Amino acid sequence: MYCQKCGANLEEGSVVCPKCGTPTGINSDVKSGASEKSRLVAFLFCFFLGSLGAHRFYVGKTGTAIAMLFTLGGLGIWTFIDWIMILAGKFTDKEGRTLLNW
């Protein structure tokens, strides 16, 4: 297993990377690090079904996904902002972890 941030080799069961200190997400309640969700899948959901909140359902943000569904993605504005956030690598899942892996 390798660190998502610096690529250092991690020992099995490590909670943080010994090199850079990034939480691994294993046995940890820390809300940082990379999400296991695919950034490409979230991007495609946002691009094709963004007004229905599909990308937010995908990452587990059910409450805001339902709000997007009823407002048609904030008439497209909210969808466009999420689309940019996904491309920029700043979009997070329900646990606050960033979608980094394409």
Side-chain angles (χ1 to χ4, degrees):
M1 188 163 92
Y2 297 93
C3 177
Q4 294 285 334
K5 185 174 180 182
C6 71
N9 192 14
L10 300 174
E11 293 180 22
E12 191 172 330
S14 296
V15 177
V16 295
C17 174
K19 184 176 179 184
C20 68
T22 302
T24 63
I26 300 172
N27 300 325
S28 174
D29 293 332
V30 180
K31 293 184 178 181
S32 63
S35 174
E36 69 278 355
K37 299 290 185 180
S38 170
R39 194 164 148 196
L40 177 62
V41 173
F43 171 78
L44 292 173
F45 274 140
C46 187
F47 188 79
F48 291 109
L49 300 169
S51 294
L52 303 176
H55 59 292
R56 287 188 172 255
F57 280 114
Y58 171 68
V59 297
K61 295 180 175 180
T62 309
T64 55
I66 291 170
M68 286 189 83
L69 185 64
F70 287 123
T71 64
L72 294 176
L75 298 176
I77 297 169
W78 194 356
T79 303
F80 183 68
I81 292 170
D82 281 354
W83 187 69
I84 291 171
M85 295 289 285
I86 293 169
L87 284 176
K90 301 295 182 186
F91 196 73
T92 59
D93 65 9
K94 71 175 179 178
E95 296 170 355
R97 296 177 298 172
T98 308
L99 275 70
L100 296 175
N101 302 321
W102 281 101

